[in-house]
Amino acid sequence: MLTNQAPSAGFSADTPFHALYERAAEEPSDLVGEVRTAVECGMCDPRDSAEMACAATETAEAVVTALSSPWALYTPQDAATVASALFVQLQHTADAFEQLGRALGQIAERGETQVPAPADAGQPANLGDALAALASVSEQIHGLAARHASTAVRALHAAPATAPRPADAHETVVAVAALLAKQYGQEVTLNRRREDGEYEDLDDGFGCGCDVTILAAEEEYN
């Protein structure tokens, strides 16, 4: 079996931290595709703004759920890709706060509300304070990403992943059989059609020809 001792290629010290996110986002994905289609179709009214903000909230919560699985990530390089995407998400969130402030200013310019000066000490916060808070939050988030994003992503990507990895389809079947044998003992049989080292990947869709038999409750499963 191979051991993934080094990070995958294509990410050097000069590569921007968001490159891993961009690479992963280009892989086929119905979720990403639906969002991009919505943007391409155009978003120009309050309903679009609210729906996209709510979708972003649901997505952020879903990431927390996905990462809660013990097998959410296999290697430090997987973590680097997720970190890259999350830092980009932080930057977009900062931009959204800033744009929200601009949108409130446009509402005021249309005469639909008034933006008072920030409240004096001891006075309750008003809309002027809210706009100042949005600008401050945006600046802090961008500062956080600027200070830590590249370091965090590169450190994760460079970390050695030492979990054993099968070199080909045959070694994958052998490894699965070994894992099952730990759980089921003598009830698992590896049916070899070839010996180790004989397999050549011809990409014919049939793997190495070997299979695993499990005997459970007097029933045989392949």
Side-chain angles (χ1 to χ4, degrees):
M1 285 190 181
L2 296 178
T3 300
N4 185 22
Q5 298 264 354
S8 57
F11 192 81
S12 66
D14 298 327
T15 305
F17 76 86
H18 51 77
L20 293 179
Y21 149 72
E22 293 170 351
R23 186 185 307 167
E26 291 306 318
E27 296 179 1
S29 168
D30 292 339
L31 294 175
V32 175
E34 287 184 11
V35 173
R36 290 183 171 178
T37 298
V39 174
E40 291 172 359
C41 291
M43 297 180 293
C44 57
D45 59 35
R47 180 182 179 86
D48 293 330
S49 300
E51 284 189 352
M52 194 55 70
C54 291
T57 301
E58 292 290 330
T59 302
E61 185 178 7
V63 172
V64 176
T65 301
L67 291 175
S68 67
S69 166
W71 290 101
L73 304 171
Y74 293 165
T75 68
Q77 288 68 50
D78 293 335
T81 298
V82 173
S84 173
L86 290 178
F87 274 116
V88 173
Q89 182 183 11
L90 274 178
Q91 290 183 319
H92 288 326
T93 299
D95 293 338
F97 273 121
E98 186 177 354
Q99 193 60 47
L100 179 59
R102 292 196 189 101
L104 286 169
Q106 292 168 346
I107 293 173
E109 290 177 2
R110 294 196 298 265
E112 298 171 10
T113 189
Q114 293 181 346
V115 179
D120 295 331
Q123 297 295 317
N126 57 37
L127 182 57
D129 296 299
L131 289 172
L134 292 176
S136 176
V137 168
S138 177
E139 184 177 353
Q140 291 176 35
I141 292 175
H142 274 300
L144 172 68
R147 290 191 301 272
H148 301 294
S150 293
T151 300
V153 172
R154 290 196 177 102
L156 288 169
H157 194 268
T162 56
R165 300 180 63 191
D168 51 40
H170 176 70
E171 288 196 4
T172 299
V173 174
V174 173
V176 169
L179 290 173
L180 290 171
K182 289 182 179 180
Q183 182 174 359
Y184 295 104
Q186 299 299 320
E187 299 170 343
V188 174
T189 303
L190 171 62
N191 305 307
R192 291 179 176 269
R193 305 291 188 267
R194 67 183 70 243
E195 295 302 317
D196 296 345
E198 294 181 355
Y199 174 70
E200 293 184 8
D201 188 0
L202 302 178
D203 195 23
D204 57 6
F206 293 98
C208 67
C210 302
D211 55 42
V212 182
T213 301
I214 303 175
L215 181 63
E218 300 184 355
E219 294 287 339
E220 190 174 277
Y221 301 91
N222 181 275

